[in-house]
Amino acid sequence: MNKKILTVDDSRTMRDMLKLALSDAGYDVVQAEDGVDGLETLDREGADVVITDINMPRMDGFGFIEGVRANPAYRGLPVLVLTTESSPEKKARAKEAGATGWIVKPFDPVKLVDVVRRVSG
Amino acid sequence: MSADDPFEAIKQTFFLECEELLTDLEASVTALTFGDGDGETINAAFRAIHSIKGGAGAFGLEDLVRFAHVFETFMDELRSGRKACDDTAIRAMLHASDVLADHVSFARGLIPSMDEERSATVANDLRALMNGAGPAPLPAAAPEPSAPAGTTDEIEAAFGFKPVMFNLDALPEDAAMVPEGWTISFKPHVRLYETGNEPALLLRELARLGPCTVTLHAEALAPFADLHETAAGLSWTIELDAPVEKTAIQEIFEFVEDECDLVIAPKGGALDTPDVGDVDIAALLAAATAPASDPVVPAAADVDIQALLAAAQAPLVPPIQSAGEAPTTAPQTPTKAPAATAAAAPATSAGTQASIRVDLDRIDKLINVVGELVIQQAMLAQSVAECGLTASSTVKVGLEDLEQLSREIQDSVMAIRAQPVKSVFQRMPRLVREVAEMTGKQVRLVTEGEATEVDKTVVDRLAEPITHMIRNAIDHGLEDSEGRAAAGKPKEGTIRLAALHRSGRIVIEVSDDGRGINRERVRKIAIDRGLIAADANLTNEETDNLIFLPGFSTADTVSDISGRGVGMDVVRRSIQQLGGRISIASTPGKGSVFTMSLPLTLAVLDGMVVRAGGQTLLSPLPSIIESFTPREGDLHRIGARDWVIRFRDRFLPLIDTAKVLGFSPPDRGEINGKDGIAIVVENEGGSQVALWVDDIQGQRQVVIKSLETNYRKVEGISAATILGDGRVALILDIDALVVLGRQQANHADFKIAS
């Protein structure tokens, strides 16, 4: 059975890009549009890996990750942050929220899959 | 560029999304301009720019990325409160959002060239305003360490963009000299597990680089009670027998470098010459070397990687449990986040699937088929009616239900194409800004009824006339600041743009609080241009509407702004082509109101079914003023061929519909007042003419079928439809018909004269 990846991003373009790259690599992809939607989708559909944007309406990526980490059911669930800023502060902030790692936009599809594999096996 | 190319498809999605994002941005900026914005408004603007930048990066649209980056950085300053969101900042945002929109249009190929100079100026303005932070670094100016050569080319070939690598603190000398192998000491902290990282996976990644000899140090696990975040338990020493670059190893540990003690050193006593690049090297070194010198618990012997992976799964549980016991290591806020989730969940499930994107062609196809269905249903109803069944027969009752359903389907399908006029209205603030800047006037735009819905085709064609009317209102309608002050008005002029539904049509109003129409001047121009007689007796309303006459606005009444070679007559004609009308009402000194009304859809039409020369025709209802049977003496012949008809104490030209369209031989008997009906219609000049027809059969809503697509263009006919009895009825093009009538009359006169 394919691994399932939840992508959380308010940009349709970015969701489509992620889906294209991940589906090509044999992953199943479920999508959510913001942090709130992401937590809800995760509860409903489950996921083996989560990739989330940071800047989103309603609930941003940091809030989303904190929400994931607050739920014992998702202990050890890899959550990757999509960020255009590769600044150390952003990474530190993501780490503080409980992110497993990050992917810098624009991402290269091969690299993306590498990173997903690195955190999910 | 095929539609099957998924990447190209996403690019198209990106541009569509950009359109929406730019609209959002415009709305945010507009709100801020009027002081209606708050922190969330700035946030929303930031997100819009950020999303555009993100997508643009993926498609290698470098100029767009570069500009969006500066703009985004600027918005970030505002968002964080480091920079005040004052008038200067808002003005910069206005310009920047315009330039950003231009960048998107250019990338999309919608505009032929990009005003690079303006872009650079605006970007510099933004940077200057962020003076505290200094000029924003451009993304292109700070390239990340490059990717392995092989993959870069592949990716670039396949996707058209360069991959950006992860930010690693690689030391230059590491790249220069690659040792035979590496000794890696790795000791995870509790936090590493808490963030969902997994040592087993990291070890497996290392094994991909080359043959590994992994030593597990489990001795630290023994004192369970003393577990601490910096001593989670297990640690590993890995001997990697491969001449790889250090960056390759660092990349694997990239996400966890702050959550473990990690020392990467060239193999063979290299641990004694620590890597100066690591900050807390002394502590790490101590941690890394400790197990090797610890004689109490023998280190696990060299094992193969599979066994190690299995072993590595084990420590996952204890450290995480320890996290719960140690209060300092629990960063979660367990109560807050789940509550927020639960509260927002219902809204989400409704919102996620609230809309789908459908290709317009599919909807048009559906509309077409539904049109056929309605026609078929009408034909069936007529056949049944001819069978002479009783009103209570099941066939008739069933047919009535069917009719009801078909109508509902038709309405629902039409509703699919309905769109709010918002998309057009939101383009106007920029226009107002530009025109205001050019004229040096202060203008405030107020919009109302943005949610008013109308068929997509109509929405698309609204932009041009609205643009023109707004330009006109600012340029000609509003006085300059001094003029306004002299008239006791506020310095800032107001343009109001409103949309509303009225009796099955959409009404768009553009009003200004300017000087109103100078009737004396309009009248003089009209007389000078020979549009009206010098002694013409016109009402105020008629005088105002003279500005729509062809030939009224010419070079010396047209300025740079509202002119551009298009007169109000062209605006009027384009609106009439959509089955609409436009008029102006003006109060001197107070302002003017342009009102245009349009049908809600172009797919169906309300028309009057008439017969002329034995043919069934349809006259569009919006053009019809009145129909009447003339009394004796109402008809008068002018010259050899022309007729006029008395209507409300005026004489209107009478057009013999059948003759003009060639339905009757030219030698057919003359019009007489007994066997016909006059339909008074309004023509393109706003003046009225009467059409002469045999009789009127009733009023009907019909589905419009293009004649040009199915046959060819016919003079005087705009389209066709199919009536209930299956006959094709041609829909009259009133304007063309009037012109045609005039030409034929002239031609006839010419023949007589010669």
Side-chain angles (χ1 to χ4, degrees), chain B residues 220-228 231-233 315 317-319 321-322 325:
Chain B
L221 270 179
F224 246 10
D226 298 336
L227 277 178
H228 185 265
V317 182
Q321 282 172 340
S322 79
E325 293 157 16

Side-chain angles (χ1 to χ4, degrees), chain B residues 27-39 41 85-87 90 444:
Chain B
S28 300
V29 176
T30 304
L32 291 169
T33 312
F34 294 140
D36 302 334
D38 55 15
T41 315
C85 187
D86 53 15
D87 285 353
I90 291 171
R444 177 191 172 115

Side-chain angles (χ1 to χ4, degrees), chain B residues 169-247:
Chain B
D169 305 316
L171 295 172
E173 60 264 34
D174 291 334
M177 47 166 226
V178 176
E180 286 299 298
W182 297 89
T183 302
I184 302 145
S185 165
F186 171 49
K187 188 178 184 207
H189 303 171
V190 170
R191 187 66 186 155
L192 181 143
Y193 300 99
E194 285 174 349
T195 55
N197 281 290
E198 172 54 68
L201 294 172
L202 298 172
L203 295 178
R204 195 174 72 181
E205 287 299 311
L206 272 180
R208 283 174 193 271
L209 295 177
C212 282
T213 310
V214 183
T215 312
L216 167 69
H217 311 287
E219 62 278 8
L221 270 179
F224 246 10
D226 298 336
L227 277 178
H228 185 265
E229 66 173 313
T230 53
L234 298 183
S235 59
W236 289 265
T237 306
I238 303 105
E239 300 281 342
L240 174 60
D241 273 320
V244 294
E245 287 184 10
K246 188 178 181 183
T247 51

Side-chain angles (χ1 to χ4, degrees), chain B residues 117-170:
Chain B
E117 203 175 309
R118 178 159 186 237
S119 173
T121 311
V122 172
N124 280 330
D125 289 350
L126 291 175
R127 288 194 197 98
L129 283 170
M130 295 185 274
N131 52 2
L138 302 185
E144 305 284 340
S146 61
T151 56
T152 313
D153 292 341
E154 284 167 25
I155 295 149
E156 212 179 338
F159 290 92
F161 64 86
K162 280 201 184 82
V164 174
M165 291 297 291
F166 300 97
N167 196 15
L168 298 173
D169 305 316

Side-chain angles (χ1 to χ4, degrees), chain A residues 11-13 36-37 55 58 69 75 84 86 91 95-96 100-102 107-108 111 117-119 121, chain B residues 14 17 50 79 144 155 163 166-167 191 195 197 201 204-205 251 254-255 259 320 344 348 357:
Chain A
S11 157
R12 197 163 54 243
T13 309
V36 176
D37 188 17
N55 291 293
R58 294 213 291 172
R69 293 291 175 228
R75 195 165 269 174
T84 41
S86 54
K91 288 173 180 171
K95 269 289 172 187
E96 194 187 311
T100 307
W102 49 83
F107 58 82
D108 126 39
K111 201 80 210 167
R117 195 198 56 217
R118 203 197 308 163
V119 298
Chain B
F14 167 66
E17 191 170 18
H50 182 78
R79 189 168 74 143
E144 305 284 340
I155 295 149
F166 300 97
N167 196 15
R191 187 66 186 155
T195 55
N197 281 290
L201 294 172
R204 195 174 72 181
E205 287 299 311
E251 194 179 306
E254 178 197 10
F255 298 153
E259 285 135 18
I320 286 173
T348 315
R357 282 185 170 261

Side-chain angles (χ1 to χ4, degrees), chain B residues 248-261:
Chain B
I249 302 168
Q250 282 174 321
E251 194 179 306
I252 290 171
F253 291 97
E254 178 197 10
F255 298 153
V256 298
E257 56 190 3
D258 295 333
E259 285 135 18
C260 65
D261 298 335

Side-chain angles (χ1 to χ4, degrees), chain A residues 10 32-41 54-61 63-64, chain B residues 40 43-44 47 340-341 343-352:
Chain A
D10 59 329
E33 295 179 5
D34 57 46
V36 176
D37 188 17
L39 288 172
E40 211 242 357
T41 310
I54 292 176
N55 291 293
M56 294 183 291
R58 294 213 291 172
M59 183 191 282
D60 68 8
F64 168 73
Chain B
E40 182 45 38
N43 248 327
R47 276 200 304 272
T341 319
T348 315
S349 51
T352 314

